[in-house]
Amino acid sequence: MRGRLVVVGTPIGNLGDLSPRAARALAEANVVACEDTRHTKKLLTAAGITVERLVAVHQHNEEKAADALVARMREGAVVAIVTDAGMPAVSDPGERIVRAAVDAGLRIEVVPGPSAVTAALALSGLDSTRFCFEGFLPRKGRERGERLEALATEPRTAVLYEAPHRLRQTLADVGDACGPDRRIVIARELTKMFEDVWRGALGDAIAHANDVEPRGEYTLVLEGAPPPEPASDDAIADAVTRHLAAGLTRKDAAAAAAAELGVPKRVAYDAANRASGAPPRADPPRSV
């Protein structure tokens, strides 16, 4: 049975970035599931591609559409899925369709394409050895606060997406969480005619966003948090004393304090011994 799902990455702005393999996959598909049929028609027309059928798949109908597309694939159809820009299922519709195809035991292929995440990271000038992708932050509430709190201590470079009308608020919130000195790169309209990249500290980024009218799609690259300052002896003693007062044994209090402050368990255990009045642990004898 030749029915299968083909996940196709499409240009994030410049239509010239559509790869020959992606064009061939779209031309060979019986059905193209897309976020916006009007947008995808422009892409297909620019590439000289005629497709039998376009099906709109977005956040409001994806679950229902997944069942219909799986049924078509079971009948032998080749279904290609695209979004308006970038890779389906990555901060865009597509995940439910891929999961439905997996659950149905159907063949799935992927055609990689341009990515705003890696494009912004590559041009940021920030550490790209290790990074994390945050996508869009929750718009409000406790979940947003928790994500911002996690970013404040995240040691890896973080990449975020943001819409223009929420850019200023997000920069202000990230600045409050991470401090004004953390570096950030604001990439706007990547690969498009009006591509713009701003680099600087969070405090200056907030002022920059207030001076210009945010337009287009934004990708933010945030510098990772610096390593924490080593815990002082007083801080270790206070943590151990607090855990002992809560009823933990010396061993458990030391383990809890070590995890909390990022210090070796041996150091915390010695502090627990001092706090409880026990003699310090003797070093093991050295072999001769």
Side-chain angles (χ1 to χ4, degrees), residues 97-112:
I97 292 174
V98 173
R99 171 53 55 189
V102 169
D103 292 343
L106 293 163
R107 180 181 172 187
I108 302 171
E109 299 175 1
V110 63
V111 180

Side-chain angles (χ1 to χ4, degrees), residues 9 41 85 95 104 141 210 254:
K41 280 180 181 178
E95 182 180 348
N210 287 330

Side-chain angles (χ1 to χ4, degrees), residues 78-105:
V78 176
V79 175
I81 179 170
V82 298
T83 56
D84 289 347
M87 182 60 69
V90 180
S91 288
D92 268 330
E95 182 180 348
R96 292 180 179 177
I97 292 174
V98 173
R99 171 53 55 189
V102 169
D103 292 343

Side-chain angles (χ1 to χ4, degrees), residues 172-187:
D173 291 346
V174 173
D176 288 342
C178 300
D181 298 328
R182 186 84 67 87
R183 290 185 296 170
I184 191 169
V185 174
I186 305 173

